[in-house]
């Protein structure tokens, strides 16, 4: 595993700082006991609407890809960013491969526990598409807005 | 029809470049077949029984002559000289070499085609009515909405790893040729009592192991909210759909386990939070896409053509073809022409490179440069002048494409079956061929009228047997192919799932069985009843009796 972080559109290897992790269940049971925790792990079958606690105290929220095919965390990441206003790091853990990173980044992930080969080449995956058709949690302007802008400029 | 601008062209070109890199990593051994599989599946490339199979998208079934010509060239240059139109308005090539696939995709990108999301657990090619833009039945052309969905769903970052594949169909006509009630989402564009147009949203239909007719979760959705409402449905499904068992992972299982009402509530709750968040297209973009589908400049013609009537009187085969294979057009003096890809004894949906070129030439000259693929594995020339029908017929006949059997007993849907598919339990194609040969006589086919036979080679139901008036399902019984017959299904506006008639039949018995069923209909039908109407009136008993009477 290699930790990669997204910074200004590029994926850079990051030092693995020690995280004080706590699972959502453990933290909900006894927040005092986990007052030192800096990272929250949320399983991918958790409904974020039911979390009902302040996530902003955590510098990292870790979402899980038990298999690359299991895409629930894509929705969870978008909800954290777009609905719950979480601005810290959202980190992908589990089956995190080169060819999924583009989608993850668009959904709001900015930390990756990269599990595939050739981590140093993973950054290229972010360069493969110049545009996006739809808005998501990143700052890409959808193609339809670019069309409008272009028409307005003409 | 829609044309790419530089954004669309860039997206497709970049996808080809990305896939070229992935193929190179596979060929060099950097990727194992296991690691390559999810990547190729995102791009319509399957590993079948004997070879790779490439599925090319034909968005909502609409093609230009140039595109059809290119599809023929691909078949000749990279495959064995033919292609196969599928039940989702796509085309498949059965024998491409892996090393050639990036070049094939480049050749397709040149004519604004691609294989994006033709497989994988993502939103697949959107399908529609093959008569869109040509039939007087529709309230407006549904294809602009299909194109909006195509763009929104392309590389959707949140919905590329859904629990299972996801199919959307759109229609705007009373008579449903797009089978919207048996799709993950079916959208029916209609005008409500206030005179506004919007969508009825039907969710959770589908065939496969657990067939369901879809539920209407919203009676009327204003058109401008199309994409945000779809996003809400997909988000609920992505988060809540089952992932522990691939056979229970389609949205139909979620809708039916939650109950349609509860599911609708979940969607409405989600939608309420995203409906004004910039997901829906602005008016200008909707107008831009609509403009591409503006009705072509039809000539002002009188409804009747004397030349046509004369030819019909002189040539009885032509007259039959006109009756069987043409449909009413919205513009006076025009007709919609169906091209049957079901020649007697042929393989349903197959078409040779030479035939594709012939269709391209004919469409260019006589159908305003447009061609459609149908979910029943045929083609359509949507805009033919009645005065040109005889010329078109003659050209089609020269290309062996003039079988007059649309909607009839030999117009059979069949999946590729055990001849190609690694999932199949039994062969489908030879059964279709033998039924077609048994009923070869076109006079008696016409006399029988509409009978929809649909054949699947396994429980995954790619041949839509559940919605066949007569459905045939191949099963494996101790290494022998057996066939289970279902009766009374329909994929149209009167959607229904067929009932199993009884014990399975051997490959030798199945053609006789169809003949017996048709025999009951022939004896007992009243007035202008179709096979399905007679079945619904009489119930299953007389048909079962005929099927299983002591020999």
């Amino acid at each position: 595993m290699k930790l990669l972080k997204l910074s200004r559109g590029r994926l850079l290897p990051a030092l693995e700082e020690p995280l004080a992790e706590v699972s959502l269940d453990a933290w909900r049971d006894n927040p005092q006991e986990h007052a030192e925790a800096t990272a929250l792990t949320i399983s991918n079958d958790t409904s974020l609407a039911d979390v009902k606690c302040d996530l902003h105290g955590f510098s990292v929220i870790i979402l899980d890809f038990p298999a690359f095919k299991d895409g629930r965390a894509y929705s969870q990441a978008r909800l954290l960013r777009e609905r719950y206003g979480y601005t810290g790091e959202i980190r992908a853990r589990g089956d995190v491969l080169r060819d999924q990173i583009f989608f993850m980044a668009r959904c709001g992930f900015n930390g990756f526990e990269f599990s595939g080969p050739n981590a140093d080449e993973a950054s290229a995956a972010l360069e493969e598409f110049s545009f996006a058709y739809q808005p998501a949690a990143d700052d890409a302007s959808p193609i339809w807005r670019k069309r409008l802008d272009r028409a307005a400029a003409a | 029809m829609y044309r790419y601008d530089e954004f669309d062209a860039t997206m497709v070109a970049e996808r080809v470049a990305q896939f070229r890199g992935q193929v190179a990593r596979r060929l060099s051994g950097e990727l194992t077949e296991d690691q390559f599989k999810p990547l190729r599946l995102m791009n319509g490339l399957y590993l079948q029984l004997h070879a790779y199979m490439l599925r090319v998208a034909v968005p909502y079934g609409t093609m230009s002559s140039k595109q059809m010509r290119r599809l023929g060239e691909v078949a000749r240059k990279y495959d064995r000289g033919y292609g196969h139109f599928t039940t989702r308005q796509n085309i498949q090539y059965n024998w491409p070499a892996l090393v050639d696939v990036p070049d094939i995709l480049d050749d397709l990108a040149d004519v604004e085609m691609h294989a994006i999301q033709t497989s994988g657990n993502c939103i697949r090619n959107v399908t529609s009515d093959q008569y869109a833009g040509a039939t007087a039945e529709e309230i407006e052309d549904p294809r602009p909405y299909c194109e909006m969905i195509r763009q929104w769903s392309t590389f959707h970052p949140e919905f590329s790893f859904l629990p299972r594949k996801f199919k959307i169909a759109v229609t705007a006509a009373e008579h449903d040729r797009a089978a919207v009630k048996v799709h993950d989402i079916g959208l029916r564009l209609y005008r409500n009592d206030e005179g506004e147009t919007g969508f009825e949203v039907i969710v959770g239909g589908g065939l496969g192991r657990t067939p369901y007719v879809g539920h209407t979760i919203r009676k009327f959705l204003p058109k401008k909210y199309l994409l945000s409402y779809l996003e809400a449905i997909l988000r609920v499904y992505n988060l809540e759909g089952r992932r522990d068992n691939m056979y229970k992972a389609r949205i139909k299982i979620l809708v039916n386990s939650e109950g349609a009402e509860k599911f609708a509530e979940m969607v409405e709750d989600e939608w309420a939070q995203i409906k004004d968040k910039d997901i829906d297209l602005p008016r200008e973009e909707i107008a831009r896409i609509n403009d591409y589908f503006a009705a072509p400049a039809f000539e002002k013609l009188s409804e009747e053509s004397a030349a046509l009537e004369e030819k019909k009187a002189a040539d009885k085969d032509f007259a039959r073809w006109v009756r069987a294979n043409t449909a009413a057009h919205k513009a006076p003096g025009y007709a919609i022409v169906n091209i049957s890809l079901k020649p007697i004894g042929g393989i349903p949906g197959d078409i040779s490179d030479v035939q594709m070129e012939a269709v391209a030439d004919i469409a260019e000259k006589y159908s305003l440069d447009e061609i459609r693929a149908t979910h029943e594995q045929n083609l359509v020339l949507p805009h033919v002048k009645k005065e040109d029908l005889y010329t078109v017929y003659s050209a089609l006949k020269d290309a062996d494409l003039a079988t007059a059997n649309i909607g009839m007993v030999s117009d059979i849907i069949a999946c590729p079956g055990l001849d190609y598919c690694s999932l199949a339990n039994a062969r489908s194609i030879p059964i279709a061929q033998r039924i077609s040969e048994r009923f070869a006589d076109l006079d008696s086919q016409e006399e029988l009228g509409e009978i929809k036979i649909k054949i699947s080679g396994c429980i995954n139901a790619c041949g839509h047997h559940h919605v066949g008036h007569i459905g045939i399902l191949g099963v494996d019984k101790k290494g022998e192919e057996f066939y289970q017959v279902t009766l009374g299904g329909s994929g149209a506006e009167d959607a229904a799932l067929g009932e199993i008639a009884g014990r399975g039949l051997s490959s030798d018995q199945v053609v006789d069985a169809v003949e017996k069923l048709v025999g009951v209909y022939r004896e007992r039908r009243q007035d202008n009843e179709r096979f399905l109407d007679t079945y619904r009136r009489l119930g299953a008993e007389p048909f079962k009796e005929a099927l299983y009477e002591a020999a």
Side-chain angles (χ1 to χ4, degrees):
Chain A
M1 192 276 283
K2 231 179 186 164
L3 182 65
L4 302 174
K5 290 200 184 182
L6 188 63
S7 163
R8 295 203 187 95
R10 289 179 50 80
L11 267 189
L12 301 170
L15 285 180
E16 281 179 59
E17 76 272 45
L19 285 180
E21 290 184 23
V22 62
S23 73
L24 180 63
D25 287 343
W27 189 64
R28 270 200 293 215
D29 286 350
N30 194 345
Q32 278 79 38
E33 193 182 314
H34 301 283
E36 305 299 304
T38 54
L40 183 70
T41 58
I42 299 179
S43 66
N44 75 352
D45 54 1
T46 301
S47 164
L48 294 177
D50 299 336
V51 170
K52 298 200 178 29
C53 55
D54 184 18
L55 302 172
H56 301 279
F58 294 100
S59 56
V60 181
I61 292 178
I62 299 167
L63 300 178
D64 189 28
F65 290 89
F68 78 88
K69 290 166 73 165
D70 187 338
R72 282 175 276 197
Y74 291 104
S75 290
Q76 289 179 314
R78 281 195 71 182
L79 289 170
L80 284 175
R81 290 282 186 238
E82 296 173 53
R83 186 161 305 163
Y84 302 107
Y86 180 72
T87 54
E89 178 184 331
I90 301 181
R91 185 179 295 189
R93 172 173 289 175
D95 205 3
V96 180
L97 304 169
R98 178 193 194 279
D99 295 278
Q100 278 79 53
I101 278 191
F102 171 75
F103 294 128
M104 291 176 183
R106 290 219 62 213
C107 288
F109 286 95
N110 52 357
F112 307 89
E113 295 184 358
F114 191 77
S115 59
N118 303 324
D120 39 327
E121 288 169 28
S123 205
L126 294 180
E127 319 274 304
E128 285 173 335
F129 290 102
S130 308
F131 308 112
Y133 276 114
Q134 60 296 95
D138 57 351
D139 53 10
S141 169
I143 284 175
W144 55 259
R145 185 169 290 136
K146 290 181 184 293
R147 285 176 176 140
L148 285 189
D149 294 346
R150 193 187 46 186
Chain B
M1 54 187 277
Y2 189 72
R3 296 301 312 266
Y4 286 4
D5 66 2
E6 75 243 40
F7 296 110
D8 302 303
T10 302
M11 293 298 274
V12 170
E14 289 178 341
R15 177 65 178 126
V16 178
Q18 181 192 45
F19 191 65
R20 190 179 286 282
Q22 292 166 345
V23 169
R25 285 191 276 150
R26 171 72 191 109
L27 291 171
S28 76
E30 182 189 326
L31 292 175
T32 63
E33 175 52 34
D34 270 358
Q35 291 165 326
F36 180 56
K37 185 178 171 188
L39 306 179
R40 63 171 166 75
L41 280 181
M42 298 284 289
N43 213 15
L45 191 63
Y46 288 76
L47 193 54
Q48 292 292 60
L49 273 185
H50 312 291
Y52 281 107
M53 178 273 277
L54 178 67
R55 182 181 294 148
V56 177
V58 181
Y60 35 93
T62 296
M63 286 164 284
S64 67
S65 302
K66 189 176 164 190
Q67 290 174 323
M68 181 62 95
R69 204 165 278 126
R70 181 57 53 88
L71 292 175
E73 285 164 20
V74 167
R76 184 161 56 243
K77 196 166 153 192
Y78 302 104
D79 207 280
R80 297 189 180 172
Y82 69 97
H84 175 78
F85 280 97
T86 75
T87 56
R88 301 211 67 258
Q89 301 180 304
N90 291 323
I91 185 168
Q92 293 179 178
Y93 295 104
N94 282 312
W95 309 96
L98 178 58
V99 63
D100 287 336
V101 172
D103 292 337
I104 297 175
L105 295 175
D106 262 337
D107 286 3
L108 293 169
D110 277 350
V111 296
E112 303 179 10
M113 298 187 88
H114 59 73
I116 294 165
Q117 290 169 211
T118 55
S119 54
N121 293 338
C122 51
I123 302 169
R124 303 288 189 89
N125 184 35
V126 182
T127 55
S128 190
D129 183 354
Q130 66 267 23
Y131 292 175
T135 174
E137 290 170 39
E138 72 192 8
I139 60 160
E140 61 181 283
D141 193 328
R143 292 173 301 162
Y145 305 99
C146 297
E147 178 59 25
M148 291 171 212
I149 297 169
R150 183 190 78 82
Q151 296 192 20
W152 161 80
S153 63
T154 297
F155 309 132
H156 199 297
E158 186 180 344
F159 306 134
S160 289
F161 297 94
L162 296 167
R164 203 70 180 85
K165 57 189 169 182
F166 204 91
K167 301 174 181 179
I168 302 176
V170 189
T171 187
E174 208 49 51
H175 181 45
D176 176 13
R177 282 168 290 262
V180 296
K181 290 182 182 170
V182 287
H183 277 76
D184 295 292
I185 296 179
L187 297 166
R188 188 176 73 85
L189 193 60
Y190 74 108
R191 186 171 286 118
N192 67 9
D193 294 341
E194 284 78 55
E196 301 160 293
T197 53
F199 295 101
E200 176 186 354
V201 182
I202 302 159
V203 177
L207 304 175
R209 279 161 207 256
T210 325
Y212 284 111
V213 173
H215 296 276
T216 298
I217 64 161
R218 187 170 242 277
K219 284 217 173 70
F220 186 83
L221 177 73
K223 289 189 292 186
K224 64 174 180 172
Y225 289 122
L226 174 61
L227 298 184
S228 60
Y229 202 79
L230 293 180
E231 187 137 324
I233 296 171
L234 267 295
R235 179 169 286 163
V236 168
Y237 171 54
N238 191 45
L239 286 168
E240 305 296 334
R242 281 183 66 172
R243 294 187 186 252
D244 58 324
N245 178 343
M246 72 176 280
Y247 301 120
K248 299 192 175 197
R250 294 288 288 269
I251 196 173
K252 61 192 172 186
I253 303 294
L254 177 65
V255 172
N256 285 283
S257 68
E258 295 287 344
E261 232 167 86
K262 170 81 192 308
F263 181 81
E265 247 171 63
M266 292 158 79
V267 170
E268 293 284 329
D269 283 352
E270 179 60 33
W271 184 52
Q273 304 191 65
I274 60 172
K275 66 189 278 198
D276 296 308
K277 295 251 157 103
D278 253 8
I279 299 163
D280 290 304
L281 298 176
R283 200 167 30 83
E284 296 88 336
E285 176 68 356
I286 293 174
R288 187 191 75 90
I289 291 176
N290 263 298
D291 282 350
Y292 285 106
F293 297 93
F298 297 117
E299 288 176 38
K300 288 215 180 325
L301 302 169
S302 60
E303 181 55 22
E304 303 306 325
S305 156
L308 170 62
E309 295 311 315
E310 219 170 89
K311 288 290 184 193
K312 270 162 60 178
D315 182 338
K316 111 179 166 353
D317 289 342
F318 171 62
R320 187 215 318 277
W321 177 84
V322 172
R323 285 195 303 276
N325 287 27
T326 68
H329 196 283
K330 66 180 179 184
Y334 281 81
I336 298 169
V337 168
N338 286 279
I339 302 174
S340 169
L341 299 184
K342 319 289 175 64
I344 300 306
I347 297 178
D350 271 18
I351 182 169
S352 73
D353 58 331
V354 177
Q355 289 176 316
M356 285 190 253
E357 296 217 334
V359 171
D361 289 344
I362 297 166
E364 191 170 17
K365 282 196 204 125
Y366 302 109
S367 180
L368 300 176
D369 209 30
E370 261 195 63
I371 302 151
R372 309 286 174 77
T374 83
H375 92 267
E376 293 185 321
Q377 300 182 283
N378 293 312
L379 297 174
V380 163
L381 300 171
H383 310 298
V384 180
K385 283 192 262 181
K386 285 184 175 172
E387 62 193 46
D388 290 334
L389 279 177
Y390 192 75
T391 315
V392 165
Y393 165 76
S394 306
L396 288 172
K397 202 170 149 201
D398 287 345
D400 289 324
L401 286 169
T403 311
N405 63 346
I406 293 297
M408 296 177 188
V409 67
S410 64
D411 183 5
I412 298 169
I413 292 185
C415 73
L418 201 49
D419 291 293
Y420 293 97
C421 177
S422 47
L423 300 174
N425 292 322
R427 287 170 298 169
S428 310
I429 291 169
I431 303 293
Q433 289 172 309
R434 281 165 45 219
I435 294 172
S436 164
E437 278 160 1
R438 178 73 62 91
F439 290 94
D441 181 60
L442 287 170
D443 285 328
S444 67
Q445 285 197 47
E446 187 174 8
E447 190 258 322
L448 290 171
E450 183 183 291
I451 300 181
K452 303 212 169 189
I453 297 182
K454 303 182 199 264
I455 308 173
S456 307
C458 79
I459 191 74
N460 291 309
C462 297
H464 299 182
H465 65 278
H466 299 295
V467 292
H469 298 179
I470 299 173
I472 298 171
L473 164 66
V475 290
D476 174 272
K477 240 191 197 168
K478 294 181 189 139
E480 207 188 322
E481 293 165 300
F482 265 76
Y483 295 89
Q484 200 172 67
V485 174
T486 53
L487 294 169
S490 168
E493 62 280 6
D494 56 353
L497 303 170
E499 299 162 65
I500 295 171
R503 70 183 140 71
L505 304 166
S506 72
S507 166
D508 289 339
Q509 295 168 315
V510 72
V511 182
D512 290 338
V514 172
E515 196 162 32
K516 286 176 191 166
L517 294 168
V518 170
V520 174
Y521 163 65
R522 204 194 294 264
E523 270 171 38
R524 313 251 337 237
R525 72 173 161 190
Q526 294 175 354
D527 309 322
N528 291 324
E529 270 183 347
R530 302 171 300 164
F531 176 89
L532 183 62
D533 303 323
T534 304
Y535 176 83
R536 285 179 174 176
R537 178 172 55 80
L538 294 177
E541 275 322 304
F543 292 90
K544 284 186 188 175
E545 263 169 45
L547 214 47
Y548 297 107
E549 72 193 347

